[in-house]
Amino acid sequence: MTTSIVAREVLVPDRVKGCCQPVAAPLSDARVDELSAIYRALGDPTRVQIVHILAAAAEPVCVCDFTAAFDLGQPTISHHLSKLRDAGIVTSTKRGVWAFYKLNAAMTSAARDAIQLID
Amino acid sequence: MTTSIVAREVLVPDRVKGCCQPVAAPLSDARVDELSAIYRALGDPTRVQIVHILAAAAEPVCVCDFTAAFDLGQPTISHHLSKLRDAGIVTSTKRGVWAFYKLNAAMTSAARDAIQLID
DNA sequence: TCCTCATATCGAAGGCTGTCGATCGATGTC
DNA sequence: GACATCGATCGACAGCCTTCGATATGAGGA
């Protein structure tokens, strides 16, 4: 998962071979992992659609609405929701037998920016 | 790849079971596929780092700089670059023996927005 | 012409992902 | 207390993804 960049002196080889340029300092492993994890969580059509529905909803959405909206089995919907929850993009609460999901109000700013393309 | 949403009358079941809410109309399959493809292209730490380097570079970057910067084999770097190229995020040109990559000036606005989190 | 070097492509191995059917735990209803 | 329902979890399977070593391609130099 981490990126394992080699040491700085190799990174900027001072045009040793006539073609190479200095290159920007890499992002920190933590930042790169944070960003790629957010992108990966959104890299599935069903999850993009789920985020779209949640972004448009005034209130938390019941899981049963998702299972009705998609042509997928209930365990698959549950799987996608838990991926989004693991990525910190949504949160869930239980009311009686039902589980309701909404966008995480405490989302990282990176996640908030990332989902803003989804109208 | 496409999302296969069921018909609208199932999508808005009018609180049949006492828990369900109307839900936003789904995004079009084309839009969902476009967005999830962009996210998927960025859902890997190495590719995030590559985009970061390209975003910071004043000029196109030689492939040899990437193979020097990452602790990965040359075919693997080539693979990541071609994924970014397939997603329309980067373009490549050859000068002599070397290949140079830069951010695609004609990127879709969705792609441009998506990579803007990568400082 | 032959060799070297940079890059792309191929084929394979291993791990991760999306999907399903079956099951389980919890909650509400009769 | 028995039963039904919702949602999470488990186990399995197929497909994709990342990575590698080996090889092909193609340009420059001796």
Side-chain angles (χ1 to χ4, degrees):
Chain A
M1 182 75 93
T2 53
T3 335
S4 80
I5 283 247
V6 300
R8 197 72 174 71
E9 53 276 13
V10 181
L11 214 170
V12 183
D14 270 284
R15 298 167 163 281
V16 160
K17 290 176 288 184
C19 77
C20 299
Q21 302 268 350
V23 125
L27 294 173
S28 71
D29 280 359
R31 176 68 174 166
V32 163
D33 286 348
E34 180 198 4
L35 290 174
S36 60
I38 292 169
Y39 288 131
R40 219 171 319 120
L42 297 171
D44 177 277
T46 301
R47 294 198 289 270
V48 168
Q49 205 71 263
I50 288 174
V51 168
H52 164 69
I53 289 172
L54 291 177
E59 296 181 22
V61 176
C62 178
V63 171
C64 62
D65 289 320
F66 293 119
T67 57
F70 297 100
D71 201 9
L72 291 171
Q74 176 265 318
T76 302
I77 300 292
S78 194
H79 164 77
H80 285 305
L81 288 169
S82 77
K83 284 242 163 181
L84 289 171
R85 181 150 28 89
D86 291 348
I89 294 172
V90 307
T91 58
S92 65
T93 56
K94 294 211 74 166
R95 280 209 296 267
V97 200
W98 297 292
F100 292 82
Y101 282 76
K102 64 185 184 63
L103 293 183
N104 182 5
M107 211 180 316
T108 64
S109 64
R112 197 174 311 277
D113 291 346
I115 69 170
Q116 263 181 356
L117 334 200
I118 305 173
D119 315 310
Chain B
M1 182 73 96
T2 53
T3 334
S4 79
I5 283 248
V6 300
R8 198 73 174 73
E9 53 276 14
V10 181
L11 215 171
V12 182
D14 270 284
R15 298 168 162 280
V16 159
K17 289 176 289 186
C19 76
C20 301
Q21 303 268 351
V23 126
L27 295 172
S28 72
D29 280 359
R31 176 69 174 164
V32 163
D33 286 347
E34 180 198 4
L35 289 174
S36 60
I38 291 168
Y39 288 131
R40 217 169 322 117
L42 297 171
D44 177 278
T46 301
R47 293 198 289 270
V48 168
Q49 204 71 263
I50 288 174
V51 169
H52 163 69
I53 288 171
L54 290 177
E59 295 181 23
V61 176
C62 178
V63 171
C64 63
D65 289 321
F66 292 119
T67 57
F70 297 100
D71 201 7
L72 291 171
Q74 175 267 319
T76 302
I77 300 292
S78 193
H79 163 77
H80 285 305
L81 288 168
S82 78
K83 285 243 163 180
L84 289 171
R85 181 151 26 90
D86 291 347
I89 294 172
V90 307
T91 57
S92 65
T93 55
K94 294 211 75 166
R95 279 211 295 270
V97 199
W98 297 292
F100 292 82
Y101 282 76
K102 63 184 184 66
L103 293 183
N104 181 5
M107 210 180 316
T108 64
S109 65
R112 197 175 310 277
D113 290 346
I115 69 171
Q116 263 182 356
L117 337 198
I118 305 174
D119 314 310

